[in-house]
Amino acid sequence: AQTVTQSQPEMSVQEAETVTLSCTYDTSESDYYLFWYKQPPSRQMILVIRQEAYKQQNATENRFSVNFQKAAKSFSLKISDSQLGDAAMYFCAYRGSGGSNYKLTFGKGTLLTVNP
Amino acid sequence: GAVVSQHPSWVICKSGTSVKIECRSLDFQATTMFWYRQFPKQSLMLMATSNEGSKATYEQGVEKDKFLINHASLTLSTLTVTSAHPEDSSFYICSATPFGQDYNEQFFGPGTRLTVL
């Protein structure tokens, strides 16, 4: 079974600074998808960024980028120029690619605080 | 696009009663819908996966007779918590996967807070 580990229960960053959230995963599959989701106090899950394992290039979305290390099974999220609105719980998630296996496996989450 | 709604957003019920939660994909047809449960300050725990017209697949440890899932159409799935008890109080979230997406992204509903008295 796949597992996703987020080793940082809480992180804090100063507004306008950069922060990196860690995520490691365990899988025997060679093809899969990785996601970072944001859950603000409203509890609405919002997709931040996705990475396909077959792509070597790290995904970026504006101020959000990932460092995907497939051999190390590591998938960290970097938030640049942090804003107050970035404060939320962040979940790393794994999804296999085979057939109808669309299930997401989530990490335990990292609570990000942004200090003004 | 890709909006998922849930109804109700918050429900309070008495112990022993049943509660139905609806999950709708508003602007797309959903191949698959998922139901999650989330306790305060914890991660999402997958309860079951449902495909339209077929029985739901429950995760290990989830009581099928207590959490009834019906996926009657490509835009609607319902979760019924039968004979609810205080320990069933939680935040329930659904998600849906549209037809045809090559990466099968899940779009999440806003969640339903269930409080059982």
Side-chain angles (χ1 to χ4, degrees), chain A residues 12-68:
Chain A
S12 63
V13 64
Q14 289 295 127
E15 194 174 5
E17 297 294 311
T18 296
V19 64
T20 298
L21 308 184
S22 301
C23 173
T24 59
Y25 57 93
D26 187 26
T27 184
S28 58
E29 297 178 304
S30 59
D31 196 17
Y32 48 86
Y33 301 87
L34 295 165
F35 304 86
W36 277 99
Y37 283 92
K38 169 184 177 181
Q39 188 179 42
S42 68
R43 303 190 79 170
Q44 171 72 58
M45 294 289 285
I46 301 167
L47 178 65
V48 175
I49 200 166
R50 75 171 66 85
Q51 175 80 43
E52 293 89 342
Y54 65 86
K55 291 186 177 179
Q56 292 185 335
Q57 186 173 8
N58 289 324
T60 62
E61 288 288 342
N62 300 314
R63 298 183 295 107
F64 299 88
S65 61
V66 298
N67 183 1
F68 173 48

Side-chain angles (χ1 to χ4, degrees), chain A residues 39 44 47 50 95 102 107, chain B residues 38 43 103-105 108:
Chain A
Q39 188 179 42
Q44 171 72 58
L47 178 65
R50 75 171 66 85
R95 206 220 82 190
Y102 303 147
Chain B
Q38 186 180 32
S43 187
Y103 47 78
N104 301 119
E105 179 179 344
F108 287 83

Side-chain angles (χ1 to χ4, degrees), chain B:
Chain B
V3 177
V4 176
S5 70
Q6 281 185 243
H7 178 80
S9 57
W10 196 354
V11 57
I12 302 173
C13 70
K14 293 182 179 180
S15 184
T17 61
S18 294
V19 174
K20 180 183 286 188
I21 301 170
E22 291 186 349
C23 176
R24 293 182 184 272
S25 55
L26 297 185
D27 51 3
F28 65 95
Q29 291 183 324
T31 309
T32 307
M33 288 184 168
F34 303 85
W35 286 96
Y36 297 87
R37 185 173 181 176
Q38 186 180 32
F39 290 106
K41 299 185 178 181
Q42 293 190 23
S43 187
L44 281 71
M45 181 190 77
L46 180 65
M47 299 175 66
T49 302
S50 72
N51 293 290
E52 183 262 343
S54 61
K55 289 184 179 180
T57 301
Y58 290 82
E59 295 299 300
Q60 191 173 8
V62 177
E63 298 177 62
K64 301 178 182 181
D65 294 334
K66 180 165 196 59
F67 299 101
L68 300 179
I69 292 172
N70 183 282
H71 195 154
S73 76
L74 287 170
T75 59
L76 173 65
S77 177
T78 59
L79 168 67
T80 301
V81 183
T82 63
S83 186
H85 291 287
E87 58 265 29
D88 299 322
S89 298
S90 189
F91 194 68
Y92 293 88
I93 304 174
C94 73
S95 70
T97 299
F99 274 135
Q101 279 198 342
D102 57 2
Y103 47 78
N104 301 119
E105 179 179 344
Q106 288 187 28
F107 295 92
F108 287 83
T112 296
R113 184 183 304 278
L114 170 63
T115 301
V116 184
L117 302 176

Side-chain angles (χ1 to χ4, degrees), chain A residues 80-112:
Chain A
S80 303
D81 185 26
S82 297
Q83 301 175 359
L84 295 177
D86 295 334
M89 181 72 85
Y90 286 81
F91 293 102
C92 178
Y94 170 100
R95 206 220 82 190
S97 64
S100 61
N101 181 20
Y102 303 147
K103 294 193 297 184
L104 286 173
T105 301
F106 287 93
K108 291 187 176 182
T110 297
L111 180 62
L112 178 66

